[in-house]
Amino acid sequence: MSENDGKKTLGVRGGGPRAGNVKQSFSHGRTKNVVVETKRKRVVVPKPGAAKSSGGGSGRSLGDPSKRPAGISDAEMERRLKALQAAKAREVEETAKRAAEEKAREEARERRRAEAEAKEREEREREEALKAKAEEEARKKREAEEAAKRAAAQAAAAASAPAAAGDDMKPAARKPKESAPTQPDRARKEREDQRGRKARDDGRRSGKLTLNQALTGGEGGRQKSMAAMKRKQERLRQKAMGQQEREKIVRDVQVPETIVVSELANRMAERVADVVKELMKMGMMVTQNQSIDVDTAELIVEEFGHKIVRVSDADVEDVIDSIDDDEGSLKPRPPVITIMGHVDHGKTSLLDAIRKANVTAGEAGGITQHIGAYQVTTDSGAVLSFLDTPGHAAFTSMRSRGAQVTDIVVLVVAADDSVMPQTIEAINHSKAAGVPMIVAINKCDRPEADPMKVRTELLQHEVVVEAMSGEVQDVEVSAKTGQGLDELLEAIALQAEILELKANPDRAAEGAVIEAQLDVGRGPVATVLVQKGTLRQGDIFVVGEQWGKVRALVDDKGDRVKEAGPSVPVEVLGLNGTPEAGDVLNVVETEAQAREIAEYREGVAKEKRAAAGAATTLEQLMQKAKDDQNVAELPILVKADVQGSAEAIVQAMEKIGNDEVRVRVLHYGVGAITDTDVGLAEASGAPIMGFNVRANASARSSANQKGVEIRYYSVIYDLVDDVKAAASGLLSAEIRENFIGYAEIKEVFKVSGVGKVAGCIVTEGVARRSAGVRLLRDNVVIHEGTLKTLKRFKDEVKEVQSGQECGMAFENYDDIRPADVIEIFEREEVERNLD
């Protein structure tokens, strides 16, 4: 069977097709012959006379109808003629357009060629000018050297002339002296130099890529690139002009404890790739974004020829001015007096009497729970700054802070109550701070007042008042009647005069944070006692881990002030966060410095907290986990109105508990209770204790939905008592045993279905069916359990009185003998309380 399967090849009869065979190739070596025909296209071209049209549209000549293709009408023929004419017109237009475009391209090429040649000519002229300048300088230098040589030669010839005349007068017999080159020699040498330079220039020019070479493809194989030729020209130009390589600049590179490779390269003004290469040579495969330690950085810095200056992260605090003030710049300042003493001894009432105000009425429960800072101007015109501290046991840290920032301590002792625990603590704080003390014996208006008892008891704590021939001033006062207030102020003024208190008001301010709080309308607010310098509105400062810019200053009367000098207490607004009470405020120059110092301190504090919370060894960690297994924890959240109160509450919570129960403060802070606090309380199952603060609306709604308990307090006593009661509920109840009777076994019987039954007589107390029993043999406990049965005669009874006989059987125990004693007891659970 043939490849065409007997079919004829397709074609056109009248068209005169041309046939041919084509061999098709397929995969796996298969081929196939295919017959291909090329058909000729018959083109009908009208004769020149046929296209001419007559005057009318219907009378146009469309050629001889006998010579048209079959089936072509006059309309069709006319349409074809129009199409042919349109095609010819388009072809003419395209030819003209192509010619215009080619002409524009040729003009652009000519223009670029002209620009390139002009640029090349300009470059060549510039190089020739530089070269000529260099040659001129070299020629002048050479002529100067030759002139110097000639002068030296003439001087030597003049010196040797007398000796030469005595030895031999024939100059021809001597070796001819090297003379200076003549004018023809110099001209010949210059021509040779020019030929050599021309040859060199030709060699240099030979590598240039011209526009003609780029268009024609060039010749001579691969040539140097334009960049290489430019580098070569630059080297030659520098060499011709005598330029030397610039000397390396040695820099002092500041390197902290750790530094990023790219930053180290920037500080050395070196390429990052070179620094990475040097590190790799040292065996350290690092990238530019990795950190290296200071020792490695020192090796790199020395390798590049620079000098290292080691700096520490703590150096950021060097901007804080800690220079001692000159004596000439110091000016007198008001004294700072702190009122201290036991709770309810009348400290705030005494200060009220001095200030002629009523602060006590504003305190919850009549006790002070914040540090108050006030300024008082006496009748004599003296200005005094007072700090009022709480007397409650929980506010130890507040009293300690008050003693540290004060000049004089006024120890208030009630005449009817005498020396109490917080009185002793205040004495110790005053001694530890090295602050002079004035004893104010208050409540002297009461009938039971005994000031002499107070003076005598103070002797036990090494406080000897003037009435007892000591050095400590003592004044009997009454805040209620005003008795002795003038004498107290005179004593304070006398003590301040002895101290000669001075400070420099014309320097950057420095002060101590007495109290801090988060105000809803004003944001974080810190009560600051300025100690040095003057704090002004607009100053940038850093305080502990926080920083800010003084937005406003408010004095103790609530008035806004522009500045605050030494010993002036003010409220500072403009902090970015709530600082810790006791932090030091320092004024710095820029916000960047303040932010940097605050971030450094925050990092240090975080590291300290992490180190304190982590066990040093695995054994200690395991031991702590083992100890905590038997300890029940009461988690709580604390939110207070001021930082000092929150700190005091946390310290009080730490003292609650024993080996079995403890209180754990998950979080404490300043300000209103928020949704974040509620979320943390829900996750940990802890109640929220709000001290003089309230939850906002969303937090209240969230707490109701999540079942979180929120308790509000205004007196610290109540909060401590409630937490102590809640912690007591976690204590396991104490089990007490009450012995209710004894019975002696007289005989042992075996009863089927029951086992051994002891025939007993109750010798003491009563035997109960529900009670626990112990079996004693020779006064040694051999079994403890419960009774299976208690019978009197044949009846099961609940109890048997003393002197009566009964039958007893033990639960799961049969080893009973005559003469054994049965001890009957009952257990009761007793609730325990934390002391």
Side-chain angles (χ1 to χ4, degrees):
M1 194 173 193
S2 66
E3 293 179 354
N4 295 329
D5 296 332
K7 296 178 182 178
K8 292 183 180 180
T9 56
L10 297 175
V12 181
R13 294 174 187 169
R18 291 181 296 176
N21 290 330
V22 176
K23 193 173 186 179
Q24 280 187 326
S25 298
F26 297 93
S27 60
H28 305 291
R30 292 186 294 112
T31 61
K32 180 180 180 181
N33 289 327
V34 181
V35 178
V36 179
E37 290 184 359
T38 304
K39 299 179 182 179
R40 294 179 182 177
K41 185 176 181 181
R42 180 180 295 170
V43 180
V44 179
V45 181
K47 293 181 179 180
K52 293 179 181 178
S53 58
S54 60
S58 60
R60 285 181 299 180
S61 175
L62 298 177
D64 189 2
S66 63
K67 295 183 179 180
R68 293 182 197 166
I72 302 288
S73 63
D74 291 344
E76 179 66 18
M77 194 66 191
E78 185 179 359
R79 187 179 62 79
R80 291 189 180 186
L81 289 174
K82 286 182 180 180
L84 182 61
Q85 291 172 0
K88 286 183 179 181
R90 279 199 305 273
E91 186 176 356
V92 171
E93 289 177 0
E94 289 176 359
T95 304
K97 188 177 180 182
R98 279 197 300 272
E101 289 178 354
E102 184 64 27
K103 184 178 180 182
R105 280 197 294 272
E106 185 63 29
E107 290 175 355
R109 280 198 296 271
E110 289 295 332
R111 188 172 59 254
R112 285 197 297 271
R113 187 181 301 110
E115 290 175 356
E117 289 175 355
K119 188 175 181 182
E120 185 178 355
R121 185 169 57 254
E122 190 178 313
E123 181 71 18
R124 187 164 57 248
E125 290 173 357
R126 189 168 63 86
E127 289 179 359
E128 288 175 357
L130 291 173
K131 190 161 52 182
K133 184 179 179 182
E135 289 174 359
E136 182 67 21
E137 291 178 356
R139 186 179 61 77
K140 288 180 179 180
K141 185 177 180 183
R142 193 164 55 247
E143 288 178 357
E145 290 176 354
E146 290 173 356
K149 286 180 182 179
R150 282 199 301 273
Q154 289 174 3
S160 60
D167 293 340
D168 191 0
M169 300 300 292
K170 298 178 181 179
R174 293 181 179 274
K175 185 177 179 181
K177 183 174 64 175
E178 185 179 348
S179 60
T182 61
Q183 188 71 21
D185 293 339
R186 281 201 299 272
R188 186 173 63 253
K189 191 172 183 180
E190 287 179 2
R191 284 196 299 272
E192 291 175 355
D193 290 343
Q194 287 177 0
R195 281 199 298 270
R197 281 196 299 274
K198 187 175 181 182
R200 287 197 301 273
D201 291 345
D202 293 341
R204 188 171 70 244
R205 298 287 178 194
S206 64
K208 265 188 173 293
L209 181 66
T210 64
L211 190 61
N212 291 329
Q213 289 176 346
L215 293 174
T216 58
E219 54 183 75
R222 182 178 177 183
Q223 296 179 348
K224 291 185 179 179
S225 65
M226 288 293 292
M229 296 308 300
K230 286 182 179 179
R231 288 195 296 270
K232 186 177 179 181
Q233 291 171 6
E234 183 67 23
R235 284 195 300 270
L236 291 172
R237 186 162 53 250
Q238 289 181 358
K239 187 175 181 181
M241 297 179 67
Q243 291 183 354
Q244 301 294 328
E245 187 179 355
R246 288 181 298 178
E247 293 184 3
K248 187 175 181 67
I249 300 175
V250 178
R251 291 179 168 82
D252 291 335
V253 183
Q254 292 188 349
V255 181
E257 297 298 326
T258 58
I259 187 170
V260 179
V261 174
S262 59
E263 178 62 22
L264 179 62
N266 289 338
R267 294 187 182 186
M268 293 191 299
E270 303 286 351
R271 293 173 57 209
V272 178
D274 295 338
V275 178
V276 173
K277 190 185 297 181
E278 287 297 327
L279 286 166
M280 288 184 176
K281 287 181 182 178
M282 296 168 56
M284 297 181 64
M285 299 299 164
V286 297
T287 64
Q288 64 176 355
N289 297 323
Q290 287 182 261
S291 298
I292 56 176
D293 59 3
V294 66
D295 295 328
T296 307
E298 182 176 5
L299 296 175
I300 296 297
V301 170
E302 291 175 353
E303 184 68 27
F304 281 92
H306 301 291
K307 295 179 182 178
I308 186 171
V309 179
R310 293 196 180 206
V311 296
S312 173
D313 292 339
D315 293 343
V316 297
E317 298 199 24
D318 291 345
V319 297
I320 297 176
D321 187 13
S322 59
I323 303 173
D324 294 333
D325 297 314
D326 297 332
E327 288 293 332
S329 62
L330 299 179
K331 298 179 182 178
R333 65 172 178 84
V336 179
I337 304 103
T338 300
I339 310 293
M340 302 178 75
H342 192 73
V343 63
D344 203 24
H345 273 202
K347 299 180 295 300
T348 307
S349 300
L350 183 63
L351 185 58
D352 284 348
I354 295 173
R355 295 180 62 221
K356 297 180 177 60
N358 187 8
V359 177
T360 308
E363 292 286 356
I367 63 170
T368 299
Q369 302 178 110
H370 308 145
I371 286 186
Y374 314 99
Q375 267 200 330
V376 175
T377 303
T378 62
D379 296 336
S380 60
V383 179
L384 307 176
S385 296
F386 281 95
L387 300 180
D388 183 18
T389 61
H392 189 267
F395 297 98
T396 302
S397 56
M398 283 193 184
R399 286 189 292 276
S400 175
R401 282 196 296 276
Q404 289 169 1
V405 300
T406 191
D407 301 314
I408 302 169
V409 169
V410 174
L411 182 66
V412 178
V413 187
D416 60 344
D417 210 5
S418 193
V419 177
M420 298 298 284
Q422 270 64 60
T423 309
I424 301 169
E425 184 190 302
I427 294 171
N428 294 334
H429 285 319
S430 176
K431 289 181 177 178
V435 179
M437 186 188 309
I438 298 174
V439 178
I441 304 174
N442 196 17
K443 301 185 181 180
C444 289
D445 57 317
R446 295 192 176 185
E448 61 272 20
D450 188 358
M452 191 54 64
K453 180 184 176 184
V454 174
R455 298 186 178 98
T456 306
E457 290 190 4
L458 286 174
L459 291 174
Q460 301 176 10
H461 306 287
E462 301 177 359
V463 178
V464 185
V465 298
E466 289 180 345
M468 309 288 286
S469 303
E471 297 181 353
V472 179
Q473 299 183 74
D474 64 312
V475 184
E476 295 182 7
V477 297
S478 171
K480 190 173 183 180
T481 63
Q483 169 193 342
L485 293 182
D486 294 336
E487 289 84 351
L488 178 60
L489 293 176
E490 287 177 6
I492 292 172
L494 177 61
Q495 188 66 57
E497 188 177 346
I498 295 171
L499 293 175
E500 295 183 353
L501 302 170
K502 294 182 179 180
N504 180 12
D506 303 322
R507 55 162 288 175
E510 179 181 325
V513 176
I514 303 299
E515 193 57 272
Q517 61 181 337
L518 185 63
D519 194 297
V520 176
R522 302 184 296 172
V525 179
T527 303
V528 177
L529 178 68
V530 181
Q531 295 171 309
K532 299 177 184 177
T534 302
L535 184 63
R536 296 179 175 85
Q537 188 171 343
D539 282 348
I540 298 166
F541 62 89
V542 58
V543 50
E545 301 174 28
Q546 312 298 332
W547 68 278
K549 185 175 182 180
V550 179
R551 196 170 74 239
L553 297 173
V554 182
D555 62 8
D556 59 309
K557 300 178 183 63
D559 301 328
R560 288 206 172 194
V561 294
K562 294 293 183 182
E563 60 181 30
S567 301
V568 177
V570 288
E571 284 187 341
V572 179
L573 281 70
L575 293 99
N576 71 324
T578 308
E580 297 285 337
D583 287 343
V584 178
L585 180 143
N586 294 99
V587 172
V588 295
E589 294 181 359
T590 62
E591 288 188 10
Q593 291 176 347
R595 189 183 295 109
E596 192 175 10
I597 295 171
E599 288 175 355
Y600 164 72
R601 289 177 177 176
E602 186 178 1
V604 171
K606 193 177 295 183
E607 290 176 2
K608 284 183 179 179
R609 287 192 293 268
T616 54
T617 62
L618 183 62
E619 289 78 7
Q620 291 181 356
L621 187 63
M622 297 295 290
Q623 184 62 37
K624 185 175 183 299
K626 187 176 180 181
D627 294 341
D628 290 347
Q629 285 181 352
N630 301 323
V631 179
E633 284 187 344
L634 174 64
I636 63 170
L637 272 76
V638 176
K639 294 300 287 289
D641 55 341
V642 295
Q643 190 72 36
S645 297
E647 185 181 347
I649 293 169
V650 171
Q651 291 175 355
M653 295 301 102
E654 290 175 352
K655 296 176 182 177
I656 298 175
N658 52 22
D659 295 338
E660 299 178 42
V661 175
R662 66 182 172 206
V663 178
R664 182 183 177 194
V665 180
L666 297 175
H667 170 71
Y668 74 95
V670 175
I673 299 169
T674 62
D675 289 332
T676 307
D677 301 323
V678 174
L680 179 58
E682 182 203 14
S684 55
I688 301 175
M689 306 294 180
F691 186 77
N692 287 332
V693 295
R694 294 293 182 267
N696 55 38
S698 61
R700 285 196 301 270
S701 174
S702 179
N704 292 333
Q705 292 175 1
K706 298 177 180 178
V708 174
E709 182 181 8
I710 300 177
R711 294 191 176 189
Y712 300 121
Y713 299 91
S714 57
V715 180
I716 197 169
Y717 295 132
D718 301 336
L719 190 151
V720 174
D721 291 343
D722 279 6
V723 173
K724 190 178 291 185
S728 299
L730 297 177
L731 286 172
S732 57
E734 182 181 354
I735 305 299
R736 292 183 183 175
E737 291 184 354
N738 296 325
F739 296 99
I740 58 175
Y742 288 93
E744 184 179 350
I745 298 177
K746 294 296 186 180
E747 193 64 50
V748 178
F749 306 97
K750 286 186 178 181
V751 179
S752 59
V754 178
K756 290 186 177 181
V757 176
C760 309
I761 183 171
V762 179
T763 57
E764 183 180 341
V766 64
R768 287 200 180 95
R769 170 74 176 80
S770 59
V773 291
R774 291 191 185 95
L775 183 64
L776 307 181
R777 187 172 295 162
D778 298 328
N779 292 323
V780 176
V781 178
I782 61 173
H783 175 68
E784 179 176 343
T786 57
L787 290 177
K788 184 194 301 184
T789 180
L790 175 64
K791 290 191 176 184
R792 173 117 173 102
F793 300 110
K794 292 183 179 181
D795 300 327
E796 188 75 27
V797 294
K798 291 183 178 180
E799 64 178 33
V800 178
Q801 298 295 329
S802 174
Q804 295 180 350
E805 293 182 351
C806 62
M808 296 182 187
F810 291 93
E811 192 79 43
N812 300 325
Y813 191 76
D814 284 342
D815 185 14
I816 52 178
R817 302 175 187 175
D820 288 348
V821 176
I822 298 174
E823 184 180 74
I824 302 109
F825 62 91
E826 286 183 341
R827 291 187 178 94
E828 66 173 342
E829 293 184 355
V830 179
E831 290 187 0
R832 297 162 59 198
N833 294 317
L834 290 169
D835 296 332

